[in-house]
Amino acid sequence: NVHGFITVGGEKMSKSRGNFYTGDQLLDEKGYTVDQLRYYLALLGLPEKSSDFDFGKLDERNRFLAGPMNAAFEKPISAAHSKFGGVVPEGVLHEKVQKDTLKLVQRYVKSMEKADYPNLLFELENYARTINSLFVQHKPHDDRFPLKERQDALYSAFYVLKTLLVMLHPFVPATMERLRESLRLPPEVFRVEELGTPIPAGHVLGPKQAYFPAVAGDAAAAAE
């Protein structure tokens, strides 16, 4: 049951105020995708409280999805294709990644049961940054660094990526379906039971795709 309602700019939605938007208007006229809206609405925590629908904050979250979150998806796939023949390399899972993932899985199950989505999604955003940290420290995309460290880092990055795939699927299903295709994993991968199981070494990957789109204004400016 929903226990909160949405205001816009601190005011109750009203056609007379001109701040009432239908889903079709947000999609067709404003140019947002369903997944962008689903993610932002989940962050508002409506099952627990009333919230303000703020277009500036919506675009801010979408910039994060189109920036750091996309990078977390793209970096391992690009590195595997450019340096490891398009497969997940042999590697040893980093102990810290394994421990952090176990804690997150426990948190995920509890949060989904309670519909505590805002805190969970911010934890997932921080978890996604693990991939960037692995790339900064161990450079799996750079032949000048030790091969064993690169392989272990990339293997661990794919472990994180699969975890993100499963956990984000309820919130952004269309985007995660594209990521699943890039990882060439079966539809059954979205089961909670798949959490904590790595993508096996030697698994053949598909091509990188477009995942979260840029914010409309940012995309237009970049094209100029």
Side-chain angles (χ1 to χ4, degrees):
N1 294 330
V2 175
H3 300 288
F5 59 88
I6 300 179
T7 58
V8 177
E11 297 183 326
K12 186 177 179 181
M13 275 194 183
S14 168
K15 289 184 179 179
S16 62
R17 290 192 179 101
N19 67 349
F20 181 89
Y21 300 96
T22 66
D24 286 343
Q25 285 176 309
L26 292 172
L27 296 171
D28 299 334
E29 297 177 17
K30 294 286 188 178
Y32 295 106
T33 69
V34 172
D35 276 1
Q36 286 175 322
L37 295 173
R38 284 173 63 105
Y39 190 90
Y40 180 66
L41 288 172
L43 281 173
L44 294 182
L46 290 172
E48 298 297 327
K49 60 181 174 45
S50 298
S51 299
D52 192 57
F53 190 99
D54 184 308
F55 282 102
K57 291 179 179 178
L58 168 60
D59 287 344
E60 179 185 325
R61 291 329 304 151
N62 288 337
R63 288 188 181 96
F64 175 84
L65 296 177
M69 189 65 85
N70 268 354
F73 300 162
E74 294 169 354
K75 284 182 178 181
I77 296 170
S78 293
H81 280 295
S82 64
K83 302 299 180 180
F84 294 95
V87 303
V88 176
E90 293 277 354
V92 176
L93 182 63
H94 283 211
E95 185 177 355
K96 185 178 186 306
V97 169
Q98 188 173 24
K99 288 181 177 179
D100 289 349
T101 303
L102 177 59
K103 290 178 183 177
L104 184 60
V105 169
Q106 294 169 341
R107 174 86 173 98
Y108 180 82
V109 173
K110 292 179 182 178
S111 296
M112 294 300 284
E113 288 175 351
K114 298 177 181 178
D116 180 16
Y117 304 140
N119 290 327
L120 174 62
L121 287 174
F122 282 124
E123 286 190 39
L124 284 174
E125 290 181 3
N126 285 329
Y127 180 70
R129 293 184 173 97
T130 303
I131 291 176
N132 184 60
S133 296
L134 289 167
F135 272 73
V136 169
Q137 293 176 47
H138 304 291
K139 305 290 194 295
H141 58 299
D142 192 334
D143 293 332
R144 295 172 296 179
F145 287 78
L147 178 61
K148 179 66 166 61
E149 292 182 16
R150 293 169 53 219
Q151 288 177 314
D152 290 348
L154 189 54
Y155 181 81
S156 299
F158 276 109
Y159 185 85
V160 173
L161 190 53
K162 182 183 175 185
T163 304
L164 288 170
L165 174 76
V166 177
M167 290 189 176
L168 286 172
H169 182 252
F171 305 101
V172 286
T175 307
M176 290 305 95
E177 184 62 27
R178 290 193 292 276
L179 181 57
R180 182 188 71 79
E181 292 172 354
S182 292
L183 296 176
R184 286 192 174 162
L185 294 172
E188 304 83 68
V189 72
F190 294 124
R191 298 179 305 169
V192 175
E193 292 80 8
E194 287 286 334
L195 291 170
T197 62
I199 302 175
H203 178 80
V204 178
L205 301 162
K208 185 175 67 176
Q209 297 190 41
Y211 303 111
F212 290 108
V215 175
D218 298 345
E224 291 179 356

